Amino acid sequence: MSDAARFVGDIPTHYDRSLGPVIFDDYAADIARRVAESAPTDVLETAAGTGIVTRKLRDALGPQARLTATDLNEPMLEVAKSKFSAEEQVTFRPANATALPFADGAFDAIICQFGLMFFPDKADAHREARRALRRGGRYLFSVWDSPRYNPFSRLGLEVIERFFPDDPPQFLRAPFSCAEIDPIKESLIDAGFMDITVSVQSRVKDVANPVDFAKGLVFGSPLFEQLRERGGVRAETIVEALAERLTEELGQNPMRLPMQAILYEARAA
């Protein structure tokens, strides 16, 4: 995991509360529905974070399904665990998606929502997914499209660079580092996947509280640590400026937030 992906301290709580309902929940419901269509019995989620997809998966999967949720950030998993009762068939385990601690062919479905962008070696993640999947098993993952289609990134970078023109924190670039489709498809083929389908998923979300969303972008991501390391500007000042810029371009009451993700579905050859 790169330093850009360190979710520590209070970051997971802000991430889950302020960002989850706006930019993650709808995509999570979609990918969970797609996974459940094939009625898998052994399901692995990598980069599960605060359990946003995990919760949707458990609700969508049949009662016979065993679900394992992993993440390299244990503070994120602690938030995820709080969403489940003891009797639900969910196992939480810290794990690196590029070196999975599971036997070959242990799963018939592997899911990763908005995690690949943070893996230092994407090809390793695909190879590990193929190794841990049974023949014919399904691999579904999503990444963000470029900032052109995701103005919360573009406008966030604009505001950050206004305050730090010489050395702007770079976290808001990291989640958008996998916007090119062809290299990912080639990497999947090299890792042993077939029947690859790609869908571009556009959405527009009504945001009732732009300030809370801006707070999530600042306090709910490693951007907060990068700001604290540089000093000189209060994080709250960044939040205020970002909320103002977001509503200036996207409106308010409610703010209309466009988003675009890319979903990959493949089968283990």
PDB file of all heavy atoms in Angstrom, residues 116-137:
ATOM      1  N   LEU A 116      -8.112  -0.661  -6.434  1.00  0.00           N
ATOM      2  CA  LEU A 116      -6.973  -0.950  -7.307  1.00  0.00           C
ATOM      3  C   LEU A 116      -6.045   0.248  -7.459  1.00  0.00           C
ATOM      4  O   LEU A 116      -4.829   0.095  -7.538  1.00  0.00           O
ATOM      5  CB  LEU A 116      -7.484  -1.396  -8.688  1.00  0.00           C
ATOM      6  CG  LEU A 116      -6.400  -1.770  -9.695  1.00  0.00           C
ATOM      7  CD1 LEU A 116      -5.746  -3.097  -9.313  1.00  0.00           C
ATOM      8  CD2 LEU A 116      -6.980  -1.850 -11.114  1.00  0.00           C
ATOM      9  N   MET A 117      -6.606   1.448  -7.478  1.00  0.00           N
ATOM     10  CA  MET A 117      -5.807   2.645  -7.734  1.00  0.00           C
ATOM     11  C   MET A 117      -4.703   2.833  -6.702  1.00  0.00           C
ATOM     12  O   MET A 117      -3.690   3.467  -6.968  1.00  0.00           O
ATOM     13  CB  MET A 117      -6.701   3.889  -7.736  1.00  0.00           C
ATOM     14  CG  MET A 117      -7.891   3.815  -8.676  1.00  0.00           C
ATOM     15  SD  MET A 117      -9.343   3.063  -7.903  1.00  0.00           S
ATOM     16  CE  MET A 117      -9.757   4.233  -6.634  1.00  0.00           C
ATOM     17  N   PHE A 118      -4.917   2.282  -5.495  1.00  0.00           N
ATOM     18  CA  PHE A 118      -3.954   2.475  -4.415  1.00  0.00           C
ATOM     19  C   PHE A 118      -2.923   1.354  -4.313  1.00  0.00           C
ATOM     20  O   PHE A 118      -1.990   1.452  -3.512  1.00  0.00           O
ATOM     21  CB  PHE A 118      -4.691   2.591  -3.078  1.00  0.00           C
ATOM     22  CG  PHE A 118      -5.668   3.729  -3.035  1.00  0.00           C
ATOM     23  CD1 PHE A 118      -7.027   3.493  -2.940  1.00  0.00           C
ATOM     24  CD2 PHE A 118      -5.230   5.042  -3.095  1.00  0.00           C
ATOM     25  CE1 PHE A 118      -7.940   4.536  -2.898  1.00  0.00           C
ATOM     26  CE2 PHE A 118      -6.132   6.104  -3.061  1.00  0.00           C
ATOM     27  CZ  PHE A 118      -7.485   5.844  -2.966  1.00  0.00           C
ATOM     28  N   PHE A 119      -3.085   0.282  -5.088  1.00  0.00           N
ATOM     29  CA  PHE A 119      -2.132  -0.819  -5.000  1.00  0.00           C
ATOM     30  C   PHE A 119      -0.841  -0.446  -5.720  1.00  0.00           C
ATOM     31  O   PHE A 119      -0.884  -0.010  -6.877  1.00  0.00           O
ATOM     32  CB  PHE A 119      -2.704  -2.090  -5.627  1.00  0.00           C
ATOM     33  CG  PHE A 119      -3.993  -2.567  -5.000  1.00  0.00           C
ATOM     34  CD1 PHE A 119      -4.840  -3.407  -5.697  1.00  0.00           C
ATOM     35  CD2 PHE A 119      -4.347  -2.184  -3.714  1.00  0.00           C
ATOM     36  CE1 PHE A 119      -6.023  -3.855  -5.133  1.00  0.00           C
ATOM     37  CE2 PHE A 119      -5.521  -2.626  -3.133  1.00  0.00           C
ATOM     38  CZ  PHE A 119      -6.371  -3.463  -3.853  1.00  0.00           C
ATOM     39  N   PRO A 120       0.307  -0.618  -5.086  1.00  0.00           N
ATOM     40  CA  PRO A 120       1.559  -0.241  -5.747  1.00  0.00           C
ATOM     41  C   PRO A 120       1.838  -1.059  -7.002  1.00  0.00           C
ATOM     42  O   PRO A 120       2.480  -0.571  -7.935  1.00  0.00           O
ATOM     43  CB  PRO A 120       2.624  -0.475  -4.668  1.00  0.00           C
ATOM     44  CG  PRO A 120       1.977  -1.345  -3.651  1.00  0.00           C
ATOM     45  CD  PRO A 120       0.518  -1.057  -3.696  1.00  0.00           C
ATOM     46  N   ASP A 121       1.364  -2.317  -7.047  1.00  0.00           N
ATOM     47  CA  ASP A 121       1.551  -3.157  -8.232  1.00  0.00           C
ATOM     48  C   ASP A 121       0.199  -3.725  -8.639  1.00  0.00           C
ATOM     49  O   ASP A 121      -0.281  -4.708  -8.070  1.00  0.00           O
ATOM     50  CB  ASP A 121       2.551  -4.276  -7.962  1.00  0.00           C
ATOM     51  CG  ASP A 121       3.018  -4.967  -9.246  1.00  0.00           C
ATOM     52  OD1 ASP A 121       2.163  -5.193 -10.129  1.00  0.00           O
ATOM     53  OD2 ASP A 121       4.214  -5.290  -9.359  1.00  0.00           O
ATOM     54  N   LYS A 122      -0.432  -3.088  -9.603  1.00  0.00           N
ATOM     55  CA  LYS A 122      -1.757  -3.523 -10.034  1.00  0.00           C
ATOM     56  C   LYS A 122      -1.728  -4.913 -10.650  1.00  0.00           C
ATOM     57  O   LYS A 122      -2.641  -5.723 -10.440  1.00  0.00           O
ATOM     58  CB  LYS A 122      -2.341  -2.539 -11.053  1.00  0.00           C
ATOM     59  CG  LYS A 122      -2.940  -1.265 -10.488  1.00  0.00           C
ATOM     60  CD  LYS A 122      -1.925  -0.305  -9.963  1.00  0.00           C
ATOM     61  CE  LYS A 122      -2.534   1.059  -9.630  1.00  0.00           C
ATOM     62  NZ  LYS A 122      -1.584   1.897  -8.856  1.00  0.00           N
ATOM     63  N   ALA A 123      -0.675  -5.212 -11.405  1.00  0.00           N
ATOM     64  CA  ALA A 123      -0.573  -6.519 -12.045  1.00  0.00           C
ATOM     65  C   ALA A 123      -0.497  -7.634 -11.008  1.00  0.00           C
ATOM     66  O   ALA A 123      -1.083  -8.715 -11.182  1.00  0.00           O
ATOM     67  CB  ALA A 123       0.649  -6.563 -12.966  1.00  0.00           C
ATOM     68  N   ASP A 124       0.212  -7.385  -9.917  1.00  0.00           N
ATOM     69  CA  ASP A 124       0.273  -8.377  -8.835  1.00  0.00           C
ATOM     70  C   ASP A 124      -1.101  -8.632  -8.251  1.00  0.00           C
ATOM     71  O   ASP A 124      -1.454  -9.767  -7.915  1.00  0.00           O
ATOM     72  CB  ASP A 124       1.232  -7.912  -7.729  1.00  0.00           C
ATOM     73  CG  ASP A 124       2.678  -8.278  -8.004  1.00  0.00           C
ATOM     74  OD1 ASP A 124       2.932  -8.988  -8.998  1.00  0.00           O
ATOM     75  OD2 ASP A 124       3.547  -7.847  -7.227  1.00  0.00           O
ATOM     76  N   ALA A 125      -1.886  -7.584  -8.105  1.00  0.00           N
ATOM     77  CA  ALA A 125      -3.240  -7.739  -7.562  1.00  0.00           C
ATOM     78  C   ALA A 125      -4.087  -8.615  -8.474  1.00  0.00           C
ATOM     79  O   ALA A 125      -4.834  -9.487  -8.007  1.00  0.00           O
ATOM     80  CB  ALA A 125      -3.889  -6.372  -7.381  1.00  0.00           C
ATOM     81  N   HIS A 126      -3.970  -8.415  -9.793  1.00  0.00           N
ATOM     82  CA  HIS A 126      -4.725  -9.249 -10.731  1.00  0.00           C
ATOM     83  C   HIS A 126      -4.244 -10.700 -10.677  1.00  0.00           C
ATOM     84  O   HIS A 126      -5.067 -11.633 -10.694  1.00  0.00           O
ATOM     85  CB  HIS A 126      -4.580  -8.702 -12.145  1.00  0.00           C
ATOM     86  CG  HIS A 126      -5.127  -7.327 -12.333  1.00  0.00           C
ATOM     87  ND1 HIS A 126      -6.242  -6.869 -11.679  1.00  0.00           N
ATOM     88  CD2 HIS A 126      -4.702  -6.296 -13.117  1.00  0.00           C
ATOM     89  CE1 HIS A 126      -6.497  -5.616 -12.053  1.00  0.00           C
ATOM     90  NE2 HIS A 126      -5.570  -5.255 -12.911  1.00  0.00           N
ATOM     91  N   ARG A 127      -2.941 -10.891 -10.604  1.00  0.00           N
ATOM     92  CA  ARG A 127      -2.412 -12.265 -10.556  1.00  0.00           C
ATOM     93  C   ARG A 127      -2.843 -12.977  -9.278  1.00  0.00           C
ATOM     94  O   ARG A 127      -3.178 -14.164  -9.300  1.00  0.00           O
ATOM     95  CB  ARG A 127      -0.884 -12.243 -10.663  1.00  0.00           C
ATOM     96  CG  ARG A 127      -0.373 -11.979 -12.072  1.00  0.00           C
ATOM     97  CD  ARG A 127       1.120 -12.215 -12.175  1.00  0.00           C
ATOM     98  NE  ARG A 127       1.880 -11.190 -11.485  1.00  0.00           N
ATOM     99  CZ  ARG A 127       2.353 -10.089 -12.078  1.00  0.00           C
ATOM    100  NH1 ARG A 127       2.122  -9.883 -13.371  1.00  0.00           N
ATOM    101  NH2 ARG A 127       3.046  -9.196 -11.398  1.00  0.00           N
ATOM    102  N   GLU A 128      -2.839 -12.252  -8.170  1.00  0.00           N
ATOM    103  CA  GLU A 128      -3.273 -12.852  -6.915  1.00  0.00           C
ATOM    104  C   GLU A 128      -4.767 -13.181  -6.942  1.00  0.00           C
ATOM    105  O   GLU A 128      -5.195 -14.217  -6.427  1.00  0.00           O
ATOM    106  CB  GLU A 128      -2.974 -11.913  -5.743  1.00  0.00           C
ATOM    107  CG  GLU A 128      -1.563 -12.030  -5.225  1.00  0.00           C
ATOM    108  CD  GLU A 128      -1.326 -13.388  -4.583  1.00  0.00           C
ATOM    109  OE1 GLU A 128      -1.608 -13.555  -3.386  1.00  0.00           O
ATOM    110  OE2 GLU A 128      -0.874 -14.307  -5.307  1.00  0.00           O
ATOM    111  N   ALA A 129      -5.556 -12.305  -7.550  1.00  0.00           N
ATOM    112  CA  ALA A 129      -6.982 -12.596  -7.685  1.00  0.00           C
ATOM    113  C   ALA A 129      -7.189 -13.862  -8.516  1.00  0.00           C
ATOM    114  O   ALA A 129      -7.998 -14.727  -8.152  1.00  0.00           O
ATOM    115  CB  ALA A 129      -7.698 -11.412  -8.314  1.00  0.00           C
ATOM    116  N   ARG A 130      -6.445 -13.984  -9.605  1.00  0.00           N
ATOM    117  CA  ARG A 130      -6.586 -15.197 -10.445  1.00  0.00           C
ATOM    118  C   ARG A 130      -6.159 -16.441  -9.678  1.00  0.00           C
ATOM    119  O   ARG A 130      -6.817 -17.488  -9.764  1.00  0.00           O
ATOM    120  CB  ARG A 130      -5.736 -15.048 -11.723  1.00  0.00           C
ATOM    121  CG  ARG A 130      -5.689 -16.322 -12.579  1.00  0.00           C
ATOM    122  CD  ARG A 130      -7.076 -16.720 -13.035  1.00  0.00           C
ATOM    123  NE  ARG A 130      -7.125 -18.051 -13.605  1.00  0.00           N
ATOM    124  CZ  ARG A 130      -7.381 -19.160 -12.934  1.00  0.00           C
ATOM    125  NH1 ARG A 130      -7.594 -19.101 -11.612  1.00  0.00           N
ATOM    126  NH2 ARG A 130      -7.447 -20.323 -13.527  1.00  0.00           N
ATOM    127  N   ARG A 131      -5.091 -16.349  -8.914  1.00  0.00           N
ATOM    128  CA  ARG A 131      -4.617 -17.516  -8.157  1.00  0.00           C
ATOM    129  C   ARG A 131      -5.649 -17.963  -7.134  1.00  0.00           C
ATOM    130  O   ARG A 131      -5.872 -19.166  -6.936  1.00  0.00           O
ATOM    131  CB  ARG A 131      -3.297 -17.166  -7.448  1.00  0.00           C
ATOM    132  CG  ARG A 131      -2.711 -18.305  -6.631  1.00  0.00           C
ATOM    133  CD  ARG A 131      -1.557 -17.850  -5.759  1.00  0.00           C
ATOM    134  NE  ARG A 131      -1.948 -16.871  -4.741  1.00  0.00           N
ATOM    135  CZ  ARG A 131      -2.609 -17.178  -3.620  1.00  0.00           C
ATOM    136  NH1 ARG A 131      -2.984 -18.433  -3.368  1.00  0.00           N
ATOM    137  NH2 ARG A 131      -2.908 -16.229  -2.747  1.00  0.00           N
ATOM    138  N   ALA A 132      -6.292 -16.996  -6.468  1.00  0.00           N
ATOM    139  CA  ALA A 132      -7.233 -17.321  -5.399  1.00  0.00           C
ATOM    140  C   ALA A 132      -8.623 -17.698  -5.908  1.00  0.00           C
ATOM    141  O   ALA A 132      -9.462 -18.135  -5.125  1.00  0.00           O
ATOM    142  CB  ALA A 132      -7.342 -16.147  -4.430  1.00  0.00           C
ATOM    143  N   LEU A 133      -8.847 -17.537  -7.213  1.00  0.00           N
ATOM    144  CA  LEU A 133     -10.136 -17.881  -7.796  1.00  0.00           C
ATOM    145  C   LEU A 133     -10.135 -19.303  -8.369  1.00  0.00           C
ATOM    146  O   LEU A 133      -9.124 -19.772  -8.899  1.00  0.00           O
ATOM    147  CB  LEU A 133     -10.490 -16.920  -8.935  1.00  0.00           C
ATOM    148  CG  LEU A 133     -11.147 -15.592  -8.563  1.00  0.00           C
ATOM    149  CD1 LEU A 133     -11.200 -14.676  -9.779  1.00  0.00           C
ATOM    150  CD2 LEU A 133     -12.549 -15.805  -7.999  1.00  0.00           C
ATOM    151  N   ARG A 134     -11.282 -19.953  -8.275  1.00  0.00           N
ATOM    152  CA  ARG A 134     -11.476 -21.221  -8.970  1.00  0.00           C
ATOM    153  C   ARG A 134     -11.626 -20.956 -10.467  1.00  0.00           C
ATOM    154  O   ARG A 134     -11.978 -19.849 -10.876  1.00  0.00           O
ATOM    155  CB  ARG A 134     -12.735 -21.913  -8.433  1.00  0.00           C
ATOM    156  CG  ARG A 134     -12.595 -22.297  -6.975  1.00  0.00           C
ATOM    157  CD  ARG A 134     -13.922 -22.606  -6.323  1.00  0.00           C
ATOM    158  NE  ARG A 134     -13.722 -22.695  -4.868  1.00  0.00           N
ATOM    159  CZ  ARG A 134     -14.646 -22.447  -3.964  1.00  0.00           C
ATOM    160  NH1 ARG A 134     -15.864 -22.094  -4.352  1.00  0.00           N
ATOM    161  NH2 ARG A 134     -14.377 -22.554  -2.680  1.00  0.00           N
ATOM    162  N   ARG A 135     -11.375 -21.966 -11.258  1.00  0.00           N
ATOM    163  CA  ARG A 135     -11.557 -21.830 -12.699  1.00  0.00           C
ATOM    164  C   ARG A 135     -13.002 -21.416 -12.982  1.00  0.00           C
ATOM    165  O   ARG A 135     -13.948 -21.998 -12.462  1.00  0.00           O
ATOM    166  CB  ARG A 135     -11.242 -23.157 -13.389  1.00  0.00           C
ATOM    167  CG  ARG A 135     -11.302 -23.092 -14.912  1.00  0.00           C
ATOM    168  CD  ARG A 135     -10.934 -24.442 -15.500  1.00  0.00           C
ATOM    169  NE  ARG A 135     -11.022 -24.410 -16.943  1.00  0.00           N
ATOM    170  CZ  ARG A 135     -10.041 -24.036 -17.757  1.00  0.00           C
ATOM    171  NH1 ARG A 135      -8.887 -23.650 -17.238  1.00  0.00           N
ATOM    172  NH2 ARG A 135     -10.196 -24.051 -19.067  1.00  0.00           N
ATOM    173  N   GLY A 136     -13.162 -20.385 -13.771  1.00  0.00           N
ATOM    174  CA  GLY A 136     -14.483 -19.863 -14.067  1.00  0.00           C
ATOM    175  C   GLY A 136     -15.000 -18.868 -13.046  1.00  0.00           C
ATOM    176  O   GLY A 136     -16.077 -18.300 -13.232  1.00  0.00           O
ATOM    177  N   GLY A 137     -14.238 -18.644 -11.962  1.00  0.00           N
ATOM    178  CA  GLY A 137     -14.655 -17.690 -10.945  1.00  0.00           C
ATOM    179  C   GLY A 137     -14.679 -16.271 -11.480  1.00  0.00           C
ATOM    180  O   GLY A 137     -13.989 -15.931 -12.441  1.00  0.00           O
TER     181      GLY A 137
END
